[in-house]
mmCIF file of all heavy atoms in Angstrom:
data_model
loop_
_atom_site.group_PDB
_atom_site.id
_atom_site.type_symbol
_atom_site.label_atom_id
_atom_site.label_comp_id
_atom_site.label_asym_id
_atom_site.label_seq_id
_atom_site.Cartn_x
_atom_site.Cartn_y
_atom_site.Cartn_z
ATOM 1 N N GLN A 562 -1.019 -13.437 -13.501
ATOM 2 C CA GLN A 562 -0.024 -12.381 -13.632
ATOM 3 C C GLN A 562 1.340 -12.980 -13.939
ATOM 4 O O GLN A 562 1.705 -14.040 -13.390
ATOM 5 C CB GLN A 562 0.094 -11.552 -12.355
ATOM 6 C CG GLN A 562 -1.001 -10.512 -12.178
ATOM 7 C CD GLN A 562 -0.741 -9.624 -10.994
ATOM 8 O OE1 GLN A 562 -1.189 -9.908 -9.887
ATOM 9 N NE2 GLN A 562 -0.016 -8.540 -11.218
ATOM 10 N N ASN A 563 2.102 -12.292 -14.812
ATOM 11 C CA ASN A 563 3.487 -12.625 -15.087
ATOM 12 C C ASN A 563 4.332 -11.378 -14.860
ATOM 13 O O ASN A 563 4.023 -10.312 -15.385
ATOM 14 C CB ASN A 563 3.678 -13.095 -16.537
ATOM 15 C CG ASN A 563 3.008 -14.431 -16.806
ATOM 16 O OD1 ASN A 563 3.021 -15.320 -15.958
ATOM 17 N ND2 ASN A 563 2.388 -14.561 -17.966
ATOM 18 N N ILE A 564 5.406 -11.515 -14.088
ATOM 19 C CA ILE A 564 6.234 -10.380 -13.725
ATOM 20 C C ILE A 564 7.680 -10.684 -14.085
ATOM 21 O O ILE A 564 8.218 -11.735 -13.729
ATOM 22 C CB ILE A 564 6.120 -10.078 -12.215
ATOM 23 C CG1 ILE A 564 4.683 -9.676 -11.877
ATOM 24 C CG2 ILE A 564 7.106 -8.991 -11.803
ATOM 25 C CD1 ILE A 564 4.372 -9.705 -10.406
ATOM 26 N N ARG A 565 8.307 -9.750 -14.787
ATOM 27 C CA ARG A 565 9.724 -9.853 -15.119
ATOM 28 C C ARG A 565 10.452 -8.651 -14.528
ATOM 29 O O ARG A 565 10.060 -7.511 -14.747
ATOM 30 C CB ARG A 565 9.950 -9.917 -16.639
ATOM 31 C CG ARG A 565 9.428 -11.190 -17.263
ATOM 32 C CD ARG A 565 9.775 -11.284 -18.746
ATOM 33 N NE ARG A 565 9.333 -12.544 -19.323
ATOM 34 C CZ ARG A 565 10.052 -13.666 -19.323
ATOM 35 N NH1 ARG A 565 11.269 -13.641 -18.802
ATOM 36 N NH2 ARG A 565 9.591 -14.770 -19.856
ATOM 37 N N ASP A 566 11.509 -8.927 -13.806
ATOM 38 C CA ASP A 566 12.310 -7.904 -13.128
ATOM 39 C C ASP A 566 13.728 -7.991 -13.698
ATOM 40 O O ASP A 566 14.450 -8.946 -13.427
ATOM 41 C CB ASP A 566 12.292 -8.167 -11.625
ATOM 42 C CG ASP A 566 13.000 -7.088 -10.846
ATOM 43 O OD1 ASP A 566 13.222 -5.998 -11.404
ATOM 44 O OD2 ASP A 566 13.334 -7.332 -9.661
ATOM 45 N N LYS A 567 14.108 -7.009 -14.493
ATOM 46 C CA LYS A 567 15.367 -7.075 -15.232
ATOM 47 C C LYS A 567 16.391 -6.114 -14.656
ATOM 48 O O LYS A 567 16.117 -4.939 -14.424
ATOM 49 C CB LYS A 567 15.131 -6.742 -16.708
ATOM 50 C CG LYS A 567 16.369 -6.858 -17.581
ATOM 51 C CD LYS A 567 16.043 -6.537 -19.033
ATOM 52 C CE LYS A 567 17.286 -6.637 -19.910
ATOM 53 N NZ LYS A 567 17.004 -6.291 -21.319
ATOM 54 N N ASP A 568 17.599 -6.619 -14.394
ATOM 55 C CA ASP A 568 18.737 -5.823 -13.909
ATOM 56 C C ASP A 568 18.387 -5.055 -12.643
ATOM 57 O O ASP A 568 18.657 -3.860 -12.511
ATOM 58 C CB ASP A 568 19.215 -4.849 -15.005
ATOM 59 C CG ASP A 568 19.806 -5.552 -16.204
ATOM 60 O OD1 ASP A 568 20.447 -6.602 -16.004
ATOM 61 O OD2 ASP A 568 19.625 -5.074 -17.334
ATOM 62 N N ASP A 569 17.800 -5.770 -11.716
ATOM 63 C CA ASP A 569 17.452 -5.180 -10.434
ATOM 64 C C ASP A 569 18.612 -5.346 -9.463
ATOM 65 O O ASP A 569 19.431 -6.260 -9.610
ATOM 66 C CB ASP A 569 16.199 -5.872 -9.877
ATOM 67 C CG ASP A 569 15.584 -5.111 -8.717
ATOM 68 O OD1 ASP A 569 16.145 -4.070 -8.308
ATOM 69 O OD2 ASP A 569 14.543 -5.571 -8.211
ATOM 70 N N GLY A 570 18.698 -4.483 -8.471
ATOM 71 C CA GLY A 570 19.690 -4.655 -7.413
ATOM 72 C C GLY A 570 20.533 -3.416 -7.174
ATOM 73 O O GLY A 570 20.354 -2.366 -7.790
ATOM 74 N N GLN A 571 21.463 -3.564 -6.248
ATOM 75 C CA GLN A 571 22.357 -2.483 -5.852
ATOM 76 C C GLN A 571 23.802 -2.983 -5.865
ATOM 77 O O GLN A 571 24.064 -4.188 -5.772
ATOM 78 C CB GLN A 571 22.028 -1.984 -4.446
ATOM 79 C CG GLN A 571 20.719 -1.251 -4.321
ATOM 80 C CD GLN A 571 20.457 -0.836 -2.894
ATOM 81 O OE1 GLN A 571 19.980 -1.618 -2.075
ATOM 82 N NE2 GLN A 571 20.763 0.397 -2.562
ATOM 83 N N PHE A 572 24.719 -2.032 -5.941
ATOM 84 C CA PHE A 572 26.139 -2.365 -5.871
ATOM 85 C C PHE A 572 26.855 -1.254 -5.102
ATOM 86 O O PHE A 572 26.408 -0.107 -5.066
ATOM 87 C CB PHE A 572 26.744 -2.526 -7.276
ATOM 88 C CG PHE A 572 26.610 -1.293 -8.132
ATOM 89 C CD1 PHE A 572 27.608 -0.326 -8.177
ATOM 90 C CD2 PHE A 572 25.471 -1.101 -8.902
ATOM 91 C CE1 PHE A 572 27.478 0.809 -8.964
ATOM 92 C CE2 PHE A 572 25.334 0.039 -9.697
ATOM 93 C CZ PHE A 572 26.345 0.980 -9.727
ATOM 94 N N THR A 573 27.971 -1.596 -4.483
ATOM 95 C CA THR A 573 28.723 -0.634 -3.697
ATOM 96 C C THR A 573 29.382 0.378 -4.614
ATOM 97 O O THR A 573 29.973 0.026 -5.637
ATOM 98 C CB THR A 573 29.789 -1.336 -2.837
ATOM 99 O OG1 THR A 573 29.214 -2.486 -2.234
ATOM 100 C CG2 THR A 573 30.317 -0.403 -1.763
ATOM 101 N N THR A 574 29.282 1.650 -4.248
ATOM 102 C CA THR A 574 29.820 2.726 -5.079
ATOM 103 C C THR A 574 31.337 2.843 -4.914
ATOM 104 O O THR A 574 31.976 2.094 -4.187
ATOM 105 C CB THR A 574 29.159 4.048 -4.713
ATOM 106 O OG1 THR A 574 29.417 4.325 -3.326
ATOM 107 C CG2 THR A 574 27.656 3.989 -4.945
ATOM 108 N N GLY A 575 31.901 3.882 -5.588
ATOM 109 C CA GLY A 575 33.344 4.145 -5.486
ATOM 110 C C GLY A 575 34.144 3.015 -6.079
ATOM 111 O O GLY A 575 33.847 2.516 -7.168
ATOM 112 N N PRO A 576 35.174 2.545 -5.368
ATOM 113 C CA PRO A 576 36.026 1.471 -5.882
ATOM 114 C C PRO A 576 35.406 0.072 -5.728
ATOM 115 O O PRO A 576 36.065 -0.927 -5.999
ATOM 116 C CB PRO A 576 37.289 1.601 -5.029
ATOM 117 C CG PRO A 576 36.812 2.168 -3.737
ATOM 118 C CD PRO A 576 35.686 3.096 -4.091
ATOM 119 N N GLY A 577 34.152 0.007 -5.293
ATOM 120 C CA GLY A 577 33.496 -1.276 -5.093
ATOM 121 C C GLY A 577 33.438 -1.692 -3.635
ATOM 122 O O GLY A 577 32.999 -2.805 -3.328
ATOM 123 N N TYR A 578 33.818 -0.812 -2.742
ATOM 124 C CA TYR A 578 33.718 -1.085 -1.319
ATOM 125 C C TYR A 578 33.557 0.228 -0.578
ATOM 126 O O TYR A 578 33.788 1.316 -1.118
ATOM 127 C CB TYR A 578 34.939 -1.857 -0.814
ATOM 128 C CG TYR A 578 36.258 -1.104 -0.945
ATOM 129 C CD1 TYR A 578 36.690 -0.194 0.011
ATOM 130 C CD2 TYR A 578 37.077 -1.338 -2.064
ATOM 131 C CE1 TYR A 578 37.882 0.485 -0.128
ATOM 132 C CE2 TYR A 578 38.275 -0.643 -2.206
ATOM 133 C CZ TYR A 578 38.672 0.274 -1.233
ATOM 134 O OH TYR A 578 39.864 0.956 -1.380
ATOM 135 N N ALA A 579 33.109 0.121 0.672
ATOM 136 C CA ALA A 579 32.995 1.280 1.556
ATOM 137 C C ALA A 579 33.705 0.957 2.853
ATOM 138 O O ALA A 579 33.968 -0.222 3.175
ATOM 139 C CB ALA A 579 31.526 1.598 1.824
ATOM 140 N N TRP A 580 34.047 1.997 3.618
ATOM 141 C CA TRP A 580 34.645 1.804 4.941
ATOM 142 C C TRP A 580 33.576 2.099 5.988
ATOM 143 O O TRP A 580 32.938 3.140 5.962
ATOM 144 C CB TRP A 580 35.840 2.721 5.143
ATOM 145 C CG TRP A 580 37.047 2.338 4.331
ATOM 146 C CD1 TRP A 580 37.578 3.004 3.280
ATOM 147 C CD2 TRP A 580 37.868 1.198 4.530
ATOM 148 N NE1 TRP A 580 38.685 2.359 2.779
ATOM 149 C CE2 TRP A 580 38.891 1.239 3.536
ATOM 150 C CE3 TRP A 580 37.862 0.118 5.441
ATOM 151 C CZ2 TRP A 580 39.882 0.252 3.426
ATOM 152 C CZ3 TRP A 580 38.841 -0.850 5.336
ATOM 153 C CH2 TRP A 580 39.845 -0.791 4.335
ATOM 154 N N GLU A 581 33.387 1.135 6.902
ATOM 155 C CA GLU A 581 32.372 1.240 7.932
ATOM 156 C C GLU A 581 33.035 1.229 9.308
ATOM 157 O O GLU A 581 33.696 0.239 9.679
ATOM 158 C CB GLU A 581 31.368 0.094 7.818
ATOM 159 C CG GLU A 581 30.245 0.140 8.836
ATOM 160 C CD GLU A 581 29.242 -0.989 8.649
ATOM 161 O OE1 GLU A 581 29.635 -2.040 8.087
ATOM 162 O OE2 GLU A 581 28.089 -0.832 9.041
ATOM 163 N N TYR A 582 32.850 2.297 10.068
ATOM 164 C CA TYR A 582 33.454 2.404 11.400
ATOM 165 C C TYR A 582 32.483 1.895 12.464
ATOM 166 O O TYR A 582 31.266 2.069 12.352
ATOM 167 C CB TYR A 582 33.846 3.853 11.693
ATOM 168 C CG TYR A 582 35.027 4.342 10.895
ATOM 169 C CD1 TYR A 582 34.844 4.985 9.665
ATOM 170 C CD2 TYR A 582 36.330 4.141 11.353
ATOM 171 C CE1 TYR A 582 35.932 5.418 8.914
ATOM 172 C CE2 TYR A 582 37.414 4.584 10.619
ATOM 173 C CZ TYR A 582 37.222 5.222 9.392
ATOM 174 O OH TYR A 582 38.307 5.644 8.658
ATOM 175 N N GLY A 583 33.041 1.287 13.502
ATOM 176 C CA GLY A 583 32.208 0.776 14.587
ATOM 177 C C GLY A 583 32.961 0.737 15.901
ATOM 178 O O GLY A 583 34.184 0.948 15.954
ATOM 179 N N GLN A 584 32.217 0.450 16.951
ATOM 180 C CA GLN A 584 32.786 0.357 18.286
ATOM 181 C C GLN A 584 31.987 -0.647 19.113
ATOM 182 O O GLN A 584 30.754 -0.652 19.059
ATOM 183 C CB GLN A 584 32.782 1.718 18.995
ATOM 184 C CG GLN A 584 33.454 1.709 20.374
ATOM 185 C CD GLN A 584 33.284 3.012 21.108
ATOM 186 O OE1 GLN A 584 32.383 3.794 20.785
ATOM 187 N NE2 GLN A 584 34.113 3.267 22.106
ATOM 188 N N VAL A 585 32.694 -1.516 19.829
ATOM 189 C CA VAL A 585 32.070 -2.457 20.764
ATOM 190 C C VAL A 585 32.763 -2.321 22.107
ATOM 191 O O VAL A 585 33.736 -1.562 22.264
ATOM 192 C CB VAL A 585 32.176 -3.904 20.250
ATOM 193 C CG1 VAL A 585 31.396 -4.079 18.955
ATOM 194 C CG2 VAL A 585 33.617 -4.328 20.062
ATOM 195 N N VAL A 586 32.265 -3.062 23.070
ATOM 196 C CA VAL A 586 32.902 -3.074 24.382
ATOM 197 C C VAL A 586 34.326 -3.610 24.248
ATOM 198 O O VAL A 586 34.562 -4.637 23.610
ATOM 199 C CB VAL A 586 32.099 -3.952 25.362
ATOM 200 C CG1 VAL A 586 32.806 -4.042 26.707
ATOM 201 C CG2 VAL A 586 30.699 -3.364 25.543
ATOM 202 N N GLU A 587 35.273 -2.903 24.796
ATOM 203 C CA GLU A 587 36.682 -3.296 24.691
ATOM 204 C C GLU A 587 36.878 -4.696 25.238
ATOM 205 O O GLU A 587 36.422 -5.041 26.331
ATOM 206 C CB GLU A 587 37.550 -2.303 25.458
ATOM 207 C CG GLU A 587 39.053 -2.536 25.278
ATOM 208 C CD GLU A 587 39.894 -1.425 25.890
ATOM 209 O OE1 GLU A 587 39.313 -0.420 26.323
ATOM 210 O OE2 GLU A 587 41.118 -1.569 25.904
ATOM 211 N N GLY A 588 37.558 -5.528 24.457
ATOM 212 C CA GLY A 588 37.839 -6.904 24.863
ATOM 213 C C GLY A 588 36.793 -7.895 24.417
ATOM 214 O O GLY A 588 37.048 -9.110 24.459
ATOM 215 N N ALA A 589 35.615 -7.444 24.002
ATOM 216 C CA ALA A 589 34.557 -8.346 23.562
ATOM 217 C C ALA A 589 34.668 -8.604 22.057
ATOM 218 O O ALA A 589 35.137 -7.741 21.305
ATOM 219 C CB ALA A 589 33.196 -7.745 23.868
ATOM 220 N N PRO A 590 34.264 -9.800 21.589
ATOM 221 C CA PRO A 590 34.266 -10.062 20.142
ATOM 222 C C PRO A 590 33.360 -9.085 19.415
ATOM 223 O O PRO A 590 32.344 -8.641 19.961
ATOM 224 C CB PRO A 590 33.732 -11.500 20.036
ATOM 225 C CG PRO A 590 33.947 -12.096 21.374
ATOM 226 C CD PRO A 590 33.810 -10.972 22.349
ATOM 227 N N ILE A 591 33.716 -8.759 18.195
ATOM 228 C CA ILE A 591 32.855 -7.899 17.402
ATOM 229 C C ILE A 591 31.539 -8.617 17.105
ATOM 230 O O ILE A 591 30.464 -8.021 17.147
ATOM 231 C CB ILE A 591 33.564 -7.480 16.103
ATOM 232 C CG1 ILE A 591 34.764 -6.572 16.447
ATOM 233 C CG2 ILE A 591 32.606 -6.777 15.152
ATOM 234 C CD1 ILE A 591 35.611 -6.206 15.262
ATOM 235 N N GLN A 592 31.625 -9.907 16.822
ATOM 236 C CA GLN A 592 30.401 -10.694 16.629
ATOM 237 C C GLN A 592 30.716 -12.171 16.775
ATOM 238 O O GLN A 592 31.858 -12.608 16.630
ATOM 239 C CB GLN A 592 29.775 -10.449 15.258
ATOM 240 C CG GLN A 592 30.597 -10.909 14.072
ATOM 241 C CD GLN A 592 29.962 -10.577 12.746
ATOM 242 O OE1 GLN A 592 29.442 -9.494 12.532
ATOM 243 N NE2 GLN A 592 29.950 -11.535 11.828
ATOM 244 N N GLY A 593 29.681 -12.960 17.061
ATOM 245 C CA GLY A 593 29.801 -14.402 17.169
ATOM 246 C C GLY A 593 30.621 -14.829 18.364
ATOM 247 O O GLY A 593 30.933 -14.065 19.279
ATOM 248 N N SER A 594 30.958 -16.099 18.353
ATOM 249 C CA SER A 594 31.781 -16.699 19.398
ATOM 250 C C SER A 594 32.777 -17.630 18.736
ATOM 251 O O SER A 594 32.557 -18.100 17.613
ATOM 252 C CB SER A 594 30.907 -17.446 20.403
ATOM 253 O OG SER A 594 30.141 -18.447 19.748
ATOM 254 N N PRO A 595 33.915 -17.924 19.380
ATOM 255 C CA PRO A 595 34.912 -18.810 18.765
ATOM 256 C C PRO A 595 34.294 -20.133 18.301
ATOM 257 O O PRO A 595 33.539 -20.764 19.037
ATOM 258 C CB PRO A 595 35.914 -19.022 19.898
ATOM 259 C CG PRO A 595 35.789 -17.797 20.740
ATOM 260 C CD PRO A 595 34.334 -17.436 20.694
ATOM 261 N N GLY A 596 34.558 -20.479 17.041
ATOM 262 C CA GLY A 596 34.011 -21.692 16.470
ATOM 263 C C GLY A 596 32.799 -21.470 15.595
ATOM 264 O O GLY A 596 32.457 -22.325 14.772
ATOM 265 N N SER A 597 32.114 -20.333 15.748
ATOM 266 C CA SER A 597 30.945 -20.058 14.904
ATOM 267 C C SER A 597 31.399 -19.579 13.529
ATOM 268 O O SER A 597 32.490 -19.017 13.365
ATOM 269 C CB SER A 597 30.039 -19.018 15.558
ATOM 270 O OG SER A 597 30.672 -17.776 15.653
ATOM 271 N N SER A 598 30.522 -19.761 12.533
ATOM 272 C CA SER A 598 30.895 -19.447 11.153
ATOM 273 C C SER A 598 31.015 -17.962 10.902
ATOM 274 O O SER A 598 31.591 -17.562 9.885
ATOM 275 C CB SER A 598 29.860 -20.053 10.193
ATOM 276 O OG SER A 598 28.572 -19.510 10.442
#
Side-chain angles (χ1 to χ4, degrees):
Q562 281 187 269
N563 293 321
I564 297 165
R565 292 185 177 273
D566 185 17
K567 183 179 179 182
D568 294 325
D569 193 358
Q571 291 178 278
F572 58 92
T573 316
T574 60
Y578 62 84
W580 289 110
E581 182 178 25
Y582 288 92
Q584 183 187 20
V585 296
V586 176
E587 186 172 353
I591 293 175
Q592 66 182 43
S594 57
S597 65
S598 61

